[in-house]
Amino acid sequence: QVQLVESGGGLVQAGGSLRLSCAASGLPYSNYAMGWFRLAPGQERDIVAAIGFSGGLTYYADSVKGRFTISRDNAKSTAYLQMNSLKPEDTAVYYCAATGFRRSTGWTSRINDYPYWGRGTQVTVSS
């Protein structure tokens, strides 16, 4: 049974940092691309960042470029999202997702490409 468990969310002031983790089990982790998505109130779930199987290829939404960094440790079957310079508009529930679907980019930003999802972790940024 595939499980993805996010951790590291919380309440932080604007300008602060958080590091999210996503621990995976039940799948051949190094063969799966990973993505981080977020869902804010009244909005659709959107891609934040994605990373390919080996970790060498990454994608970022324009809204987080230069502030967030996605990474992975295949030995620990864990993905990370380092979030710096947080803004109130980053407030959302953050989800990690995994996919074995291979695109030429190595990563995929398409929500429908991801069959496995965690339950999410709340990130709240106060102004």
Side-chain angles (χ1 to χ4, degrees):
Q1 181 180 1
V2 176
Q3 280 194 319
L4 302 176
V5 180
E6 303 96 337
S7 61
L11 173 64
V12 64
Q13 288 188 332
S17 298
L18 284 174
R19 188 194 195 203
L20 305 184
S21 298
C22 172
S25 61
L27 52 78
Y29 182 75
S30 61
N31 291 340
Y32 278 68
M34 301 296 295
W36 284 97
F37 294 76
R38 65 186 180 187
L39 178 61
Q43 299 185 21
E44 296 183 349
R45 191 176 301 194
D46 282 334
I47 183 74
V48 175
I51 190 166
F53 310 94
S54 66
L57 298 172
T58 57
Y59 165 88
Y60 295 95
D62 288 342
S63 58
V64 306
K65 279 182 183 177
R67 299 188 299 123
F68 291 11
T69 302
I70 188 171
S71 61
R72 64 188 296 160
D73 184 338
N74 285 350
K76 296 182 178 179
S77 298
T78 300
Y80 305 95
L81 185 68
Q82 178 68 44
M83 306 186 295
N84 299 329
S85 302
L86 282 161
K87 303 175 181 180
E89 51 262 44
D90 294 319
T91 295
V93 178
Y94 283 71
Y95 299 87
C96 71
T99 179
F101 185 75
R102 291 179 178 259
R103 292 194 180 273
S104 60
T105 53
W107 47 261
T108 176
S109 61
R110 301 184 184 184
I111 192 169
N112 290 335
D113 284 349
Y114 289 88
Y116 303 113
W117 291 83
R119 293 188 175 185
T121 185
Q122 176 70 46
V123 172
T124 303
V125 184
S126 64
S127 58

